[in-house]
Amino acid sequence: MPRRPEGGAVKVWIDGAIVDGPDAKIPVTDHGLLYGDGVFEGIRVYGGAVFRLADHLRRLAAGARAIGLEIPGGLPGVEKILRATAIAYAAPDAYIRLLVTRGDGELGVDPTSCTNPRIVCIVDEVRLYPEAKRKSGLDLITSSLRKPNADALDPRIKSLNYLNSVLAKREARLAGADEALLQNAAGRVAETSVANVFVYRHGILRTPPATDGALEGITRDSVLEIASEEGLGVRVESLGRFDLFDADEVFLTGTGARIVPVATLDGQPIGEPGVHPLTDRLSLAFTDYTRCHGSPL
Ligand code: PMP
């Protein structure tokens, strides 16, 4: 496979071996494919060190426990696989997609025939938004879809079932926007398709709680820590669309997204157009933060 200048050729650990991307195959009987039955993590490698690895593994384990999925080899086994695949990718910066599927089983949602959960580790690069948009800010629409309530599917489980996010993102793209804002059934802001939402106004930075439908993002947690160290007021509290319209700045956080400003919501500019000093400041601070919160490969 050709080696791209930014990173290595895509490497995948599957069924006991590291192979190049096109050679990674999964049986059609895997319940991860059939039913989205499984959990995953998106993790970044910055400068040869895996960012907040222990926290990603902890979240993976919590999700797996919540759906009654045993991780083969436990977390030490997963970590070994992740490190080996990332080393094989041979680039200082990378995006790791780690999956634990229910494994092969009989047709039917009943997972009891799936006795061998499958670990898949994909190492590649990821670009969620065009570089120019990362600077100027994203255009968001409010999705017509709602984030499922925790009693339907707890948002803290990073499950392989991302149809809600896929459809929200599709809706945004069809409308010519970059990203979709999802509210919960009560109309409170939850998050976007794959990122958490932050609202900044008058020195106070706010983000919705997991109980409103937000994933407990690791980037979100990092930003909360950085912001409070910088002396900002930091609050995890319920938000409505009004709070976004009323904000000085709005930005999104995620492993793939990192920290990216929001320019508009439903066509309405947020804050002063083209200016987002706090988002820029936090982005810089986050880059420093990644340098001292990595686990070297
Ligand atoms: N919400 C959703 C639905 C996500 O998929 C992600 C990305 N994993 C996030 C938020 C951000 O979480 P993190 O910062 O841990 O990547």
Side-chain angles (χ1 to χ4, degrees):
M1 263 180 91
R3 183 164 289 275
R4 288 166 298 175
E6 308 86 350
V10 182
K11 293 291 176 196
V12 182
W13 193 99
I14 186 163
D15 295 340
I18 296 171
V19 296
D20 285 336
D23 299 324
K25 303 272 165 36
I26 190 159
V28 294
T29 48
D30 191 304
H31 279 214
L33 172 71
L34 289 170
Y35 305 112
D37 186 355
V39 289
F40 78 98
E41 279 297 315
I43 305 167
R44 276 204 192 254
V45 179
Y46 293 109
V50 188
F51 181 60
R52 291 190 64 169
L53 176 60
D55 297 303
H56 280 286
L57 293 178
R58 227 186 328 270
R59 188 170 66 184
L60 183 80
R65 229 178 0 259
I67 66 166
L69 177 65
E70 200 171 316
I71 300 176
L75 291 186
V78 179
E79 182 172 342
K80 240 169 124 176
I81 289 167
L82 180 147
R83 286 182 181 279
T85 321
I87 287 168
Y89 183 70
D93 297 308
Y95 176 80
I96 302 173
R97 173 58 58 91
L98 182 64
L99 291 74
V100 186
T101 78
R102 190 73 70 176
D104 303 327
E106 294 168 9
L107 290 180
V109 291
D110 185 351
T112 51
S113 68
C114 307
T115 50
N116 290 308
R118 173 175 278 117
I119 296 171
V120 180
C121 182
I122 306 166
V123 185
D124 197 358
E125 56 185 22
V126 72
R127 277 206 192 94
L128 294 193
Y129 309 109
E131 206 45 46
K133 282 289 188 135
R134 296 191 57 81
K135 292 201 174 68
S136 63
L138 303 177
D139 297 312
L140 265 56
I141 57 149
T142 305
S143 177
S144 66
L145 294 151
R146 295 292 170 111
K147 194 87 191 166
N149 275 335
D151 55 357
L153 183 58
D154 197 304
R156 288 172 297 183
I157 303 171
K158 217 166 145 44
S159 88
L160 292 178
N161 202 317
Y162 254 47
L163 200 52
N164 187 248
S165 290
V166 171
L167 295 182
K169 179 78 178 190
R170 180 170 184 270
E171 191 179 26
R173 300 296 288 147
L174 285 173
D178 303 300
E179 195 46 85
L181 182 73
L182 283 148
Q183 299 165 276
N184 64 19
R188 308 310 293 165
V189 169
E191 57 183 356
T192 65
S193 68
V194 290
N196 292 111
V197 178
F198 279 83
V199 165
Y200 177 66
R201 184 172 182 271
H202 289 185
I204 309 282
L205 190 61
R206 295 181 294 163
T207 192
T211 45
D212 278 356
L215 181 79
E216 289 177 319
I218 287 165
T219 321
R220 168 184 179 268
D221 185 67
S222 307
V223 165
L224 288 171
E225 188 184 324
I226 294 166
S228 55
E229 268 170 21
E230 295 224 346
L232 295 173
V234 171
R235 291 188 203 151
V236 175
E237 67 182 27
S238 259
L239 299 171
R241 284 172 71 247
F242 174 85
D243 295 299
L244 275 74
F245 291 129
D246 192 38
D248 297 328
E249 293 179 46
V250 173
F251 61 85
L252 309 183
T253 66
T255 299
R258 285 171 291 184
I259 299 175
V260 56
V262 172
T264 66
L265 173 63
D266 298 324
Q268 172 80 35
I270 285 170
E272 202 182 320
V275 185
H276 22 75
L278 180 84
T279 309
D280 294 344
R281 203 173 101 207
L282 289 176
S283 289
L284 273 179
F286 180 69
T287 303
D288 283 343
Y289 184 93
T290 61
R291 290 197 190 106
C292 38
H293 290 80
S295 171
L297 284 173

